[in-house]
Amino acid sequence: MNNQHFPWLILVPMRGDLREIYDLSDVDYANAMGEIREITKIFSELTAADKMNVATLGNAVSQLHIHIIARFKNDAIFPKPVWNFEQKALPYSPEQAEEMVKKLCDFIALSSRA
Amino acid sequence: MNNQHFPWLILVPMRGDLREIYDLSDVDYANAMGEIREITKIFSELTAADKMNVATLGNAVSQLHIHIIARFKNDAIFPKPVWNFEQKALPYSPEQAEEMVKKLCDFIALSSRA
């Protein structure tokens, strides 16, 4: 998400017509849950988060997607959930966005070599 | 949760000192994700929900717990997430609460026999 207030990833399983977690096949569900666990851990380390928030809501956009959000005791609204945050998003500069994506890719590559 | 606005379960893995999903052992994680999937499906059927919301936040209460919430197109705030809902909770009567717990137990028993 393009909002500096919260480091925030959205995972989208590359399958069509999914709305609920139980719409995934057994194998896809196991893989998705494994990836959620890995990415949550990696993103926590990368951001040095105080707490990770993981959620699938889909009330507005029904295609199955999973939010992974790094929270900090000193972030804009901690301990409130991000979804009651009415203030304007603070976009990354293109350089900041590129750096975060690069860091994340490096962390994922490092983790899958481990 | 004792709030008629949203049928809302909270699952708590029976393990001490867990904060993040990746604090669960491999086996416990697989079991927990399996149970989340089952309960989400059962609770969706039981409540005839339009959309299920599944989330682990833990910003205020850090012990690992998972929210499973049934949402309806005509509920109090759909499609907004429940966490920006500032209105007062609407408690169940003891009879309503007992009935919902009984129904859920029946659904779980039925599902595990299937």
Side-chain angles (χ1 to χ4, degrees):
Chain A
M1 292 280 269
N2 193 11
N3 183 357
Q4 291 189 47
H5 286 304
F6 313 106
W8 184 331
L9 301 177
I10 298 178
L11 305 191
V12 185
M14 293 171 73
R15 298 284 184 272
D17 298 322
L18 301 176
R19 294 179 72 249
E20 302 286 355
I21 53 172
Y22 52 78
D23 292 336
L24 287 158
S25 72
D26 289 358
V27 170
D28 285 346
Y29 184 75
N31 286 339
M33 294 306 118
E35 288 174 6
I36 287 169
R37 186 193 199 195
E38 272 308 295
I39 294 294
T40 301
K41 190 156 191 280
I42 286 170
F43 204 45
S44 173
E45 290 167 1
L46 186 156
T47 61
D50 292 314
K51 188 72 191 71
M52 298 305 292
N53 293 176
V54 180
T56 176
L57 307 180
N59 304 332
V61 175
S62 67
Q63 172 71 32
L64 182 63
H65 60 281
I66 298 102
H67 301 273
I68 299 183
I69 308 157
R71 301 298 308 275
F72 304 89
K73 284 177 185 162
N74 65 351
D75 73 28
I77 52 162
F78 195 89
K80 288 186 187 169
V82 294
W83 292 284
N84 62 3
F85 184 58
E86 298 296 344
Q87 286 177 250
K88 237 178 129 76
L90 184 64
Y92 295 101
S93 71
E95 295 73 25
Q96 286 173 314
E98 199 181 334
E99 195 195 329
M100 177 171 273
V101 171
K102 191 185 171 312
K103 258 198 207 169
L104 183 61
C105 291
D106 289 348
F107 262 71
I108 292 171
L110 207 66
S111 153
S112 48
R113 272 204 301 275
Chain B
M1 292 279 269
N2 193 11
N3 183 357
Q4 291 189 47
H5 286 305
F6 313 105
W8 184 331
L9 301 177
I10 298 179
L11 305 190
V12 185
M14 293 173 73
R15 298 285 184 272
D17 298 322
L18 300 177
R19 293 180 73 248
E20 302 286 356
I21 53 172
Y22 52 77
D23 293 336
L24 287 159
S25 71
D26 289 358
V27 171
D28 286 346
Y29 184 75
N31 286 338
M33 293 306 117
E35 290 174 5
I36 287 168
R37 187 192 197 196
E38 272 308 294
I39 294 293
T40 301
K41 191 156 192 278
I42 286 170
F43 205 46
S44 173
E45 290 166 2
L46 186 156
T47 60
D50 291 315
K51 187 72 191 71
M52 298 304 293
N53 293 175
V54 180
T56 177
L57 308 179
N59 304 332
V61 175
S62 65
Q63 172 72 31
L64 181 63
H65 59 282
I66 298 102
H67 300 273
I68 298 183
I69 308 157
R71 300 299 307 275
F72 304 88
K73 283 177 184 163
N74 65 350
D75 72 28
I77 52 163
F78 196 88
K80 287 187 185 168
V82 294
W83 291 283
N84 64 2
F85 185 57
E86 299 294 344
Q87 286 176 251
K88 237 178 130 73
L90 184 64
Y92 295 102
S93 71
E95 294 74 25
Q96 286 173 315
E98 199 181 333
E99 195 196 328
M100 175 170 275
V101 170
K102 192 186 171 310
K103 257 198 208 167
L104 183 61
C105 291
D106 289 349
F107 262 71
I108 291 172
L110 206 68
S111 155
S112 47
R113 272 203 302 273

